[in-house]
Amino acid sequence: MSVTESPASRFLSREECAALAKRAATFAMGGGDTEIKLESTWLGNVRYARNQITTSGDVRDNRVRVGRDIQGATQEVGTNLIDDVGLEASVRRAERMLRRKERSGGTQFHEHYALPPDSVTNLKQLTRYNGRQDYLAAMRSLVQTEEPYESPKLFFDSTYGLDGEHRAGAVEPLLMAAKKAGLVAAGYLEVSATGRAVMNTAGRALYYPYTQVQFSTTVRDPDGKGSGWAGVDWNDWTRVDTEALSAIAIDKCLRSRNPVAIEPGRYTVVLEPQAVCDLVSVLMNFIDRFYNESSPSAPFHLSKDQSKIGMQVMDNRITISADPMDPDLGFPPFSPEGNVYHPVKWVDKGILTELAYFRPYGIRVLGKNAGLPNSYAFRMSGGTATIEDMIASTERGLVVTRFSNMGLGDASMGSITCSGFTRDGLWLIEKGKLSKPVKNFRFTDSPLFALNRVEQLGVPKRVFHPEAPVVVPPLKVRDFNFTSLSEAI
Amino acid sequence: MRSFMGISPRTWMAHAAALAFGLAVAPAMGRAQDTLTLSQTLSAKDSAAAIAAWAVSDTGRMVAGYHDLSRYTTPGMCVQVMRGTLLQELWRRNDPPSSVMPVQPGSEGDTLPTAAIANVRRCIAKLPAVSAVQPLELSNVMQLGVMTNDTTLMEAAITRMLSLAATDEARGYVLFDAINALLGPSIGDEYHRTHYDMRVASAEPMLARLDAMGTGARVPRMLAHFQMAEIYSGVKFDTTLLAREVKATWAIAPLLKAGEEKERYNPSYVAIMDSLIIAWSRQQPNRVETVRGMLQRGYAAFTAQGFVPMGTPEWQKLISATMEKYASEIGTPRAPVQGDFWFSSDSSHVKPALGKVTLLVSGRKGRGTMSKDEAMYKRLSDRYGKDGFEIILFVNTDGYSWSSPPQAAADEAKTIAWYFRDYLKIPATVVVNTSQFTKTQDGRRVPAPPLHGTGGPFGLVGRDGKMFTIWIGTESEAALDSYIQAALAQK
């Protein structure tokens, strides 16, 4: 099915969203504008544990935020009731809240002005003041001067057509394989289709349908002495090889059994792509321009009002970019808020080239009529080394499958120090070979520091990060800081 | 930073369009932007009458009974009721103008909201007698008496607090607390101005009682006189009474011992001295010299006691800078105003005009609500416009108007002028200067100096074209009113 067609009835089509926006607008009272931001979603899932399917379900929901803008004061109300009663209640509530809203020190960009309430009762009167016309033109052009957006292929029938029977069918072989190996598997497969819409009475009518699939599986030794994991997310179900992923998890589980304890400390690590994603995605949450200019604790803050844009901030072999049209990274071309995502290189050969900002910041500070919002999706460039190459060139180190329970440590030093645990497979490298599984560690280190201690880079691949797609390479990093042992497997 | 990003301020035109909202959705998903086609008709529901009816049915005003008082059982809780209700009321007044929130011309003349008083009285009615109130709550009872204008309740609380205080200093602090409550709890400037004359009248005898306590209450006396001086230099501008209060602080200064709360009154002292310098200088025939003599005597009184940093070079420099700036600019001819774009009722671009009293001030591209300053300008214009008083508002361009995309300076200037002159209805001459920007390495625009091409200092210019006052800090309306009257009276 082409993305230009209305997909089907399991989530709202473009026409249905537009009709909903129209209904919401007709409930508005008191002038101003009305906007809906809508995520209409169908999702189907299957969950399994202890080698058997435990739940399977189909969920449909419409998350609507109804916004009212009366002469410069704005308010949104969320609901998932899209009948007339629910919509009208939301509009009324937004209008009530809007009038109670404190305006004494708001941080909203929309600091703007309205027409005197008694001055205009018909359109003819609107033409009385030239200044007012200029004002109106200026105000309206913010939303009417739409930014063009990309049109990646994100809707796949293969995903949308994966009904409960097929989902169960996809999982069954994995359970058999785990049983056959004498292991215990648990996991989750989810497919979804979403219509994302931002429509308002000022003429904006964004709509984009997309599908998503996420799959992850954990395989454990029945005695709890070993654990393996694998997972991925894509828009297209056909790109998910559940059997291969399951095989990886089983293999990791078998190889991680009976780990031995070694001393925590600084080790050279071979980070598999999932571990790189877990670590670097924390950093990518902080690439906001205003934050980095204003906060001394921000990772890319240089001095007052100044970020490190233009400076070398990491290894010069690293480029971090995001492009909705990237076939391995595709993501919706605008956010649920209606902010358009543009292709961007955040880091180019180690040099920080851009930080994210919204359109009002672009207008106010940069003099540009566009924003550069952060989609949280990113691709990190790599090299040609394989994980085997990295292991072979390491005298003593560790191979990390992934991290979990990531948390931010002390941010006061501006380095975004993170802490978390290794999980589901950690092996010691000795003299260029994997020697034995070792017990998990807690680590405390900065992703920014780690990206400055890179020794080798591998081939980038898509990893599991359902919040936003991520493509990253495996990395060999020296002196990664493990602070204590963890008994968890 | 996240806000209602997709939406921009719209007006009746947009709403009118919205209601018809004939949707014609472009099918393509490519780079061409999707649009909704809107027909431009008004519906009956969007009429002024419909909006007005809506406003009447639900004004957002807090009403007596709004609070569930069942859980409010102590004086402290009742104070919170008062503050909560009052803040709601103040927020309501500060709401942006809209179809139901007309522009508020300011709070002068307002009284404490009836709803707030009613709520507090209902709360008070549930309290025990003052004699049975916990000692720590007596201060709250006193505040409640002040809020509700219940002198009996206030006095009862004060009397009991005085009876429980063991020393002159402690008793002094009781009266200082009462004066503090009378002259305005920390709940917002607007509130200070309500019932102001009555409160000051009540505070004066309280201050006399405090002074009668003598040396033992020297610190609370000092604090109380500073507070009173701030009032007389601000909302109730009176140079005679301001001088009286400053002299009172000088008289108490020798009684203070080194280390007694000295840091607390230093900032106040500087602020009050500034006010005194400006106020007296504006009104005395020999101006700066007179004030300098007064200042030096007060300064000596403090430094003789070894107060730090009163005697430090930094402090001297601070006072001297104000004095010298004032001395160099006051009474000198104001250079003609410069501006790139002029918006005025007359065609003359020669300002300030001889024969007129002109207030030169900076205009803020604010938040949509009429600010206190703007409301003040409007009132002053209404009051003295017919007598030859005019206001010139200076605004620099930003390169955009509020939420608009980048704008040319001429377009932005028109929008600015519309805002001040047509929307806020301030009958001022609006002079817009085009800001120049430089680009930093990371692409940020930074305004390049000079920021103002206004031709000279801000302040009040007399009929003779000379600076009558200069603008230092925030002026109170009462003070400005006084200066304008004095300037208008000049031949």
Side-chain angles (χ1 to χ4, degrees):
Chain A
M1 183 184 60
S2 162
V3 295
T4 60
E5 296 169 359
S6 296
S9 59
R10 275 179 275 164
F11 63 98
L12 296 180
S13 65
R14 175 199 302 272
E15 292 74 17
E16 288 165 325
C17 289
L20 191 149
K22 180 180 178 181
R23 277 194 292 132
T26 57
F27 293 128
M29 293 179 71
D33 274 312
T34 306
E35 179 171 76
I36 62 135
K37 294 170 181 169
L38 176 58
E39 294 260 299
S40 178
T41 302
W42 160 80
L43 71 84
N45 60 46
V46 60
R47 183 178 279 109
Y48 57 97
R50 291 188 172 276
N51 293 340
Q52 55 187 329
I53 291 173
T54 55
T55 59
S56 177
D58 281 64
V59 181
R60 299 181 196 185
D61 198 7
N62 297 292
R63 295 185 300 279
V64 185
R65 280 179 293 156
V66 179
R68 291 283 288 120
D69 178 338
I70 300 181
Q71 303 197 346
T74 60
Q75 182 64 50
E76 277 186 7
V77 167
T79 184
N80 66 353
L81 302 173
I82 58 171
D83 59 2
D84 281 358
V85 174
L87 278 183
E88 183 167 13
S90 298
V91 171
R92 288 284 90 75
R93 180 166 167 73
E95 287 167 350
R96 275 202 306 279
M97 291 171 71
L98 186 148
R99 287 179 11 241
R100 296 270 166 83
K101 200 167 185 178
E102 184 191 358
R103 297 285 297 170
S104 57
T107 56
Q108 291 190 341
F109 180 75
H110 295 277
E111 298 166 353
H112 40 229
Y113 305 101
L115 297 171
D118 58 350
S119 66
V120 179
T121 53
N122 60 52
L123 294 176
K124 190 177 175 184
Q125 286 177 284
L126 274 172
T127 60
R128 282 174 52 192
Y129 300 109
N130 286 335
R132 178 171 297 139
Q133 288 301 308
D134 293 340
Y135 164 83
L136 289 172
M139 298 298 105
R140 290 185 66 80
S141 60
L142 179 67
V143 288
Q144 288 188 326
T145 311
E146 294 290 359
E147 300 170 72
Y149 57 80
E150 307 283 358
S151 52
K153 178 170 172 52
L154 300 179
F155 195 95
F156 292 90
D157 289 343
S158 59
T159 307
Y160 194 55
L162 198 70
D163 59 17
E165 186 179 341
H166 286 92
R167 294 194 295 271
V171 163
E172 280 295 340
L174 317 183
L175 306 180
M176 297 302 294
K179 274 182 189 171
K180 189 176 175 184
L183 304 172
V184 179
Y188 182 64
L189 168 63
E190 178 187 292
V191 287
S192 65
T194 301
R196 175 177 290 179
V198 177
M199 297 181 172
N200 64 32
T201 53
R204 204 165 199 212
L206 309 183
Y207 180 85
Y208 215 84
Y210 60 96
T211 53
Q212 280 184 302
V213 53
Q214 58 168 291
F215 171 74
S216 66
T217 184
T218 305
V219 178
R220 291 203 163 199
D221 176 73
D223 299 330
K225 292 178 179 173
S227 178
W229 179 94
V232 75
D233 67 272
W234 285 101
N235 298 102
D236 180 2
W237 164 245
T238 61
R239 300 189 75 166
V240 179
D241 188 343
T242 52
E243 292 192 25
L245 290 166
S246 180
I248 291 170
I250 289 171
D251 175 60
K252 281 180 176 288
C253 176
L254 291 171
R255 289 192 294 115
S256 68
R257 285 184 295 185
N258 302 313
V260 299
I262 61 172
E263 283 298 311
R266 288 190 177 273
Y267 286 87
T268 293
V269 287
V270 174
L271 302 176
E272 292 191 2
Q274 188 62 46
V276 173
C277 168
D278 295 336
L279 191 66
V280 178
S281 59
V282 175
L283 182 65
M284 297 307 289
N285 288 336
F286 291 90
I287 55 166
D288 179 81
R289 187 155 182 155
F290 178 76
Y291 171 64
N292 280 282
E293 285 168 359
S294 58
S295 172
S297 63
F300 301 118
H301 177 79
L302 181 63
S303 60
K304 186 176 182 298
D305 295 335
Q306 200 172 347
S307 68
K308 291 181 180 172
I309 285 180
M311 298 178 67
Q312 187 92 31
V313 293
M314 56 187 69
D315 188 285
N316 62 13
R317 289 168 291 178
I318 295 175
T319 293
I320 300 177
S321 59
D323 182 351
M325 295 299 286
D326 184 332
D328 291 337
L329 192 75
F331 51 93
F334 57 86
S335 73
E337 301 290 328
N339 299 304
V340 175
Y341 297 131
H342 302 283
V344 58
K345 272 188 185 176
W346 304 112
V347 175
D348 189 8
K349 294 176 183 167
I351 295 172
L352 183 68
T353 48
E354 286 283 11
L355 289 167
Y357 54 88
F358 288 113
R359 195 175 180 197
Y361 177 98
I363 293 168
R364 192 173 63 240
V365 181
L366 304 177
K368 292 180 180 174
N369 188 18
L372 190 65
N374 181 7
S375 63
Y376 301 98
F378 65 95
R379 168 188 280 276
M380 188 170 154
S381 65
T384 56
T386 63
I387 289 179
E388 289 70 30
D389 294 339
M390 296 178 192
I391 293 169
S393 62
T394 303
E395 179 64 21
R396 182 177 164 82
L398 295 164
V399 174
V400 181
T401 300
R402 70 180 185 118
F403 295 113
S404 74
N405 294 72
M406 298 284 287
L408 278 178
D410 180 13
S412 62
M413 298 301 287
S415 58
I416 305 294
T417 303
C418 298
S419 190
F421 297 91
T422 59
R423 285 288 297 271
D424 301 315
L426 179 69
W427 293 273
L428 183 66
I429 306 168
E430 290 179 303
K431 299 187 187 315
K433 291 182 180 172
L434 288 184
S435 62
K436 55 195 159 193
V438 294
K439 285 192 173 182
N440 283 304
F441 280 128
R442 182 185 188 91
F443 80 93
T444 301
D445 210 329
S446 161
L448 198 52
F449 291 176
L451 294 177
N452 277 285
R453 297 194 301 256
V454 173
E455 294 196 342
Q456 284 179 288
L457 299 95
V459 179
K461 62 178 281 194
R462 179 81 174 244
V463 293
F464 180 81
H465 195 250
E467 299 84 359
V470 171
V471 176
V472 286
L475 296 179
K476 180 176 163 186
V477 174
R478 65 180 175 278
D479 295 336
F480 198 77
N481 187 33
F482 295 102
T483 50
S484 62
L485 279 170
S486 167
E487 286 299 322
I489 60 171
Chain B
M1 201 157 154
R2 195 195 79 73
S3 65
F4 202 32
M5 284 300 172
I7 274 187
S8 168
R10 231 77 45 211
T11 58
W12 288 66
M13 176 186 276
H15 187 61
L19 287 168
F21 205 39
L23 293 169
V25 182
M29 291 293 294
R31 280 184 169 274
Q33 179 56 54
D34 308 324
T35 57
L36 296 174
T37 303
L38 307 174
S39 58
Q40 306 276 321
T41 57
L42 282 166
S43 81
K45 197 167 66 173
D46 213 28
S47 69
I51 305 301
W54 182 48
V56 169
S57 64
D58 182 2
T59 63
R61 190 186 295 273
M62 306 302 292
V63 296
Y66 177 79
H67 278 286
D68 172 11
L69 299 175
S70 58
R71 292 176 292 111
Y72 292 74
T73 55
T74 67
M77 288 178 172
C78 292
V79 169
Q80 293 310 313
V81 168
M82 181 277 296
R83 294 195 168 183
T85 313
L86 196 56
L87 282 172
Q88 289 277 7
E89 179 67 12
L90 294 180
W91 287 347
R92 185 191 69 76
R93 291 178 192 172
N94 283 332
D95 265 347
S98 71
S99 51
V100 290
M101 296 287 176
V103 173
Q104 295 287 333
S107 61
E108 197 177 59
D110 280 352
T111 58
L112 199 62
T114 308
I117 293 179
N119 268 330
V120 178
R121 285 189 176 144
R122 286 175 57 228
C123 200
I124 290 172
K126 303 187 333 177
L127 300 179
V130 173
S131 58
V133 168
Q134 294 288 325
L136 283 174
E137 287 274 22
L138 285 168
S139 177
N140 288 324
V141 174
M142 180 193 68
Q143 278 198 52
L144 293 171
V146 171
M147 299 310 149
T148 55
N149 306 318
D150 186 341
T151 313
T152 307
L153 184 66
M154 180 181 71
E155 283 294 341
I158 291 172
T159 302
R160 185 155 173 238
M161 281 195 287
L162 287 172
S163 70
L164 293 171
T167 63
D168 280 348
E169 185 176 28
R171 281 187 284 277
Y173 272 116
V174 169
L175 293 180
F176 169 66
D177 286 346
I179 292 166
N180 201 29
L182 281 165
L183 296 183
S186 55
I187 203 163
D189 288 343
E190 288 195 58
Y191 177 68
H192 288 204
R193 298 179 191 194
T194 62
H195 289 218
Y196 181 71
D197 288 342
M198 187 177 70
R199 299 277 172 79
V200 174
S202 300
E204 283 284 7
M206 205 77 77
L207 187 57
R209 283 167 68 185
L210 177 56
D211 275 333
M213 290 181 175
T215 307
R218 58 191 177 277
V219 174
R221 284 174 60 200
M222 190 73 164
L223 295 173
H225 280 290
F226 271 122
Q227 176 137 15
M228 199 60 109
E230 282 178 353
I231 297 298
Y232 287 132
S233 68
V235 288
K236 192 169 174 60
F237 179 71
D238 188 318
T239 50
T240 306
L241 293 173
L242 172 59
R244 185 196 73 184
E245 291 306 314
V246 172
K247 285 176 182 173
T249 62
W250 293 346
I252 298 168
L255 306 176
L256 292 171
K257 295 174 182 173
E260 281 185 332
E261 300 285 338
K262 58 191 176 190
E263 290 80 7
R264 291 182 61 183
Y265 29 82
N266 284 344
S268 299
Y269 184 80
V270 172
I272 291 165
M273 290 310 296
D274 270 357
S275 296
L276 192 62
I277 292 164
I278 297 160
W280 281 2
S281 300
R282 284 162 176 162
Q283 298 198 344
Q284 301 287 328
N286 53 353
R287 294 185 167 183
V288 179
E289 291 70 23
T290 301
V291 176
R292 183 173 283 139
M294 291 297 296
L295 176 66
Q296 284 168 350
R297 284 201 294 282
Y299 178 76
F302 274 86
T303 52
Q305 299 302 311
F307 285 107
V308 177
M310 285 294 190
T312 61
E314 288 77 13
W315 191 85
Q316 282 181 305
K317 191 176 171 185
L318 183 67
I319 294 292
S320 298
T322 305
M323 297 272 299
E324 296 310 320
K325 177 175 171 56
Y326 182 75
S328 66
E329 292 178 344
I330 197 79
T332 58
R334 206 313 181 162
V337 166
Q338 300 167 1
D340 297 333
F341 304 97
W342 289 72
F343 302 89
S344 176
S345 303
D346 57 50
S347 58
S348 170
H349 290 183
V350 181
K351 307 273 181 184
L354 287 177
K356 285 195 169 186
V357 171
T358 308
L359 182 64
L360 306 167
V361 287
S362 174
R364 280 189 325 129
K365 290 169 70 175
R367 296 177 184 279
T369 317
M370 180 180 263
S371 74
K372 290 190 181 74
D373 281 353
E374 287 153 357
M376 179 174 76
Y377 302 150
K378 184 167 167 50
R379 285 194 294 269
L380 291 172
S381 287
D382 292 345
R383 219 175 288 155
Y384 298 114
K386 62 184 182 306
D387 300 325
F389 169 71
E390 74 171 333
I391 294 176
I392 297 179
L393 283 167
F394 293 97
V395 186
N396 286 351
T397 59
D398 293 326
Y400 62 96
S401 289
W402 301 288
S403 310
S404 80
Q407 275 184 307
D411 293 336
E412 187 186 348
K414 277 195 280 187
T415 309
I416 290 168
W418 173 84
Y419 169 63
F420 286 111
R421 289 172 55 80
D422 295 323
Y423 174 53
L424 294 183
K425 298 188 188 310
I426 300 173
T429 294
V430 175
V431 176
V432 181
N433 281 292
T434 309
S435 299
Q436 302 299 320
F437 295 94
T438 56
K439 287 253 179 183
T440 59
Q441 189 182 358
D442 57 0
R444 286 176 293 127
R445 296 184 319 152
V446 178
L451 297 178
H452 292 279
T454 57
F458 290 163
L460 194 66
V461 180
R463 292 186 193 276
D464 56 2
K466 295 178 180 174
M467 293 303 301
F468 187 82
T469 73
I470 57 168
W471 197 261
I472 299 174
T474 304
E475 300 280 9
S476 77
E477 183 166 355
L480 257 183
D481 195 288
S482 166
Y483 303 146
I484 292 168
Q485 283 189 36
L488 286 170
Q490 272 187 337
K491 297 299 180 188

